[in-house]
Amino acid sequence: MKKILVTGGAGFIGSNYINYQVKKGESHIINLDKLTYAGDLTNIENPKAGNYTFVEGDICDLKFIQDLFAKYEFDQVVHFAAESHVDNSISDPSAFIETNINGTFNLLQTAYKLWMKEPFQMKDEFKKARFLHVSTDEVYGTLGDEGLFTEETPYAPNSPYSASKASSDMLVRSYFHTYGMPVVTTNCSNNYGPHQHDEKLIPTIIRKAIREENIPIYGKGTNIRDWLYVLDHCKGIELAVAKGKLGETYNIGGRNERKNLYIAEKICTILDEEKPRSNRKSYSELITFVKDRPGHDFRYAIDASKIEDNLGWKAEETFETGIKKTIQWYLEKYTN
Ligand SMILES: NC(=O)c1ccc[n+]([C@@H]2O[C@H](COP(=O)([O-])OP(=O)(O)OC[C@H]3O[C@@H](n4cnc5c(N)ncnc54)[C@H](O)[C@@H]3O)[C@@H](O)[C@H]2O)c1
């Protein structure tokens, strides 16, 4: 059975990926996570599954990473672990530089030593090894009213978070060009769905609404994001690691651009039906505009044609179908 290292698997997207892969039962998943504030092992639906192992550790600890690779001899790495919250990167960027850049470097260098004899020479037993680096569309900076990010869009990161992710993408690229490492990078738009941390936009809107608290929206709510249901992202990653061309990057996005204010209003409308307020007013009355985030990128939107045309990927959920499932999941979480 293939041994796959998933880093950051106690977080939002990593845990959804693990739950999906463990259920499929085709590989042994080793979840390496430092369990920062963002990691939560209850996100793993079947922790006792025979093809699942959890290891607590830090990707910044090189000796620990070397020992782990020596012990398991991974056939594949799917690298999610990162500091991921833009607001935290503004108030305290140092952990972003450490984990997102140095941690990625440790994984690349250790995989290189395990898998390759020398540059462009894979060891026979690792001929099919793959390193999938999970990144973000935020590396491309911000868009105006028009246009889409393609894989050719020049990098122009604007926050310490996106700058640290852009740096890690460049390291991954360099390992392909310098050493012939079997790497593939995916750059994805905003994800939503089960197991996202409470601090993020959609869980915050749902939680504040049902607790009858003000729902905070930055600025005037006009910022636009391209929303992707997390399971669609996981399926895109699975395809990219299995069929992606080595050294290439693939943008993954749902063609679901929505303004933040629309997101809040849509969630409130669904909640009005699913869980009406006792005063019969709409939850949308709780929407409150708050001071904007410094350097807030105006619009992100992805052109996903490359992964659609070359690998046959397509988002199965629209925002309107995915958000209904998501709200059901958070209602269970916040009301039980
Ligand atoms: N959430 C999104 O909308 C989105 C969109 C595009 C790309 N991404 C990328 O996807 C990846 C996963 O994002 P997420 O939203 O699931 O993040 P998350 O913050 O929910 O999870 C990150 C996980 O990494 C772990 N971690 C952090 N530092 C670590 C370290 N030094 N060593 C080991 N583990 C560590 C945390 O404990 C946590 O479990 C990130 O690389 C992020 O940049 C996220």
Side-chain angles (χ1 to χ4, degrees):
M1 205 180 231
K2 209 183 289 168
K3 279 175 278 178
I4 302 180
L5 172 65
V6 175
T7 69
F12 167 42
I13 308 173
S15 64
N16 277 281
Y17 189 76
I18 288 177
N19 292 335
Y20 174 61
Q21 291 297 337
V22 166
K23 217 178 285 169
K24 278 189 142 186
E26 293 164 4
S27 44
H28 181 188
I29 306 287
I30 294 95
N31 175 10
L32 163 62
D33 200 294
K34 186 182 172 186
L35 298 182
T36 67
Y37 79 98
D40 181 353
L41 284 178
T42 66
N43 287 339
I44 303 297
E45 283 163 8
N46 189 2
K48 296 207 167 91
N51 63 336
Y52 171 77
T53 305
F54 173 67
V55 182
E56 185 172 346
D58 188 340
I59 59 169
C60 301
D61 180 345
L62 179 59
K63 174 78 176 62
F64 165 78
I65 293 295
Q66 288 167 337
D67 291 347
L68 193 74
F69 274 69
K71 178 173 176 187
Y72 287 100
E73 302 199 315
F74 302 113
D75 304 291
Q76 213 182 79
V77 176
V78 183
H79 175 35
F80 293 95
E83 288 291 335
S84 71
H85 193 54
V86 178
D87 288 339
N88 296 345
S89 87
I90 295 167
S91 56
D92 185 8
S94 58
F96 288 71
I97 307 306
E98 194 54 38
T99 287
N100 300 1
I101 305 176
N102 295 338
T104 301
F105 165 68
N106 286 343
L107 292 167
L108 283 167
Q109 178 64 10
T110 310
Y112 169 61
K113 291 281 175 198
L114 174 68
W115 293 344
M116 303 188 71
K117 281 188 234 170
E118 56 183 272
F120 300 94
Q121 278 284 315
M122 298 295 287
K123 292 179 188 165
D124 288 342
E125 62 275 35
F126 293 111
K127 282 231 158 3
K128 292 188 173 161
R130 292 286 179 276
F131 189 111
L132 190 291
H133 176 58
V134 181
S135 192
T136 166
D137 62 353
E138 300 191 31
V139 296
Y140 298 121
T142 186
L143 290 165
D145 289 326
E146 300 286 317
L148 299 169
F149 296 133
T150 74
E151 288 79 1
E152 311 305 321
T153 304
Y155 274 31
N158 288 326
S159 71
Y161 164 66
S162 52
S164 68
K165 291 297 290 187
S167 306
S168 66
D169 295 6
M170 294 297 150
L171 282 170
V172 173
R173 178 190 156 88
S174 76
Y175 269 70
F176 175 73
H177 288 277
T178 303
Y179 305 111
M181 271 274 283
V183 297
V184 176
T185 295
T186 53
N187 294 85
C188 188
S189 58
N190 275 40
N191 284 218
Y192 67 100
H195 302 299
Q196 192 165 24
H197 194 277
D198 283 349
E199 69 189 355
K200 297 285 175 96
L201 180 67
I202 287 179
T204 298
I205 295 171
I206 301 170
R207 191 179 67 256
K208 296 276 184 188
I210 61 181
R211 291 186 184 161
E212 301 272 340
E213 293 171 11
N214 286 338
I215 301 169
I217 296 294
Y218 279 135
K220 293 193 164 72
T222 49
N223 297 67
I224 296 171
R225 299 292 179 262
D226 182 353
W227 291 91
L228 182 67
Y229 190 64
V230 64
L231 190 57
D232 279 328
H233 184 193
C234 293
K235 290 177 181 172
I237 290 170
E238 181 184 47
L239 266 178
V241 79
K243 297 190 184 159
K245 191 160 172 224
L246 299 185
E248 301 261 320
T249 65
Y250 293 88
N251 284 352
I252 311 182
R255 299 180 188 273
N256 276 282
E257 282 183 54
R258 301 288 184 276
K259 285 194 173 134
N260 286 350
L261 184 56
Y262 171 87
I263 303 290
E265 284 173 343
K266 182 77 193 167
I267 292 172
C268 289
T269 307
I270 296 172
L271 284 174
D272 287 340
E273 286 164 22
E274 298 288 328
K275 197 180 177 344
R277 294 173 75 184
S278 49
N279 64 12
R280 297 277 144 193
K281 290 184 176 169
S282 170
Y283 286 101
S284 57
E285 284 206 335
L286 299 169
I287 295 172
T288 313
F289 296 109
V290 297
K291 190 167 180 280
D292 210 350
R293 165 192 280 169
H296 201 177
D297 287 338
F298 170 61
R299 173 172 167 258
Y300 305 139
I302 285 241
D303 178 351
S305 316
K306 182 175 172 185
I307 192 167
E308 288 170 346
D309 296 346
N310 297 1
L311 305 185
W313 176 86
K314 196 169 188 331
E316 288 168 26
E317 304 287 349
T318 64
F319 181 73
E320 286 64 30
T321 59
I323 195 66
K324 278 199 168 160
K325 293 182 185 178
T326 305
I327 288 175
Q328 285 304 338
W329 191 88
Y330 283 100
L331 280 178
E332 287 270 317
K333 173 175 174 179
Y334 292 139
T335 55
N336 286 323

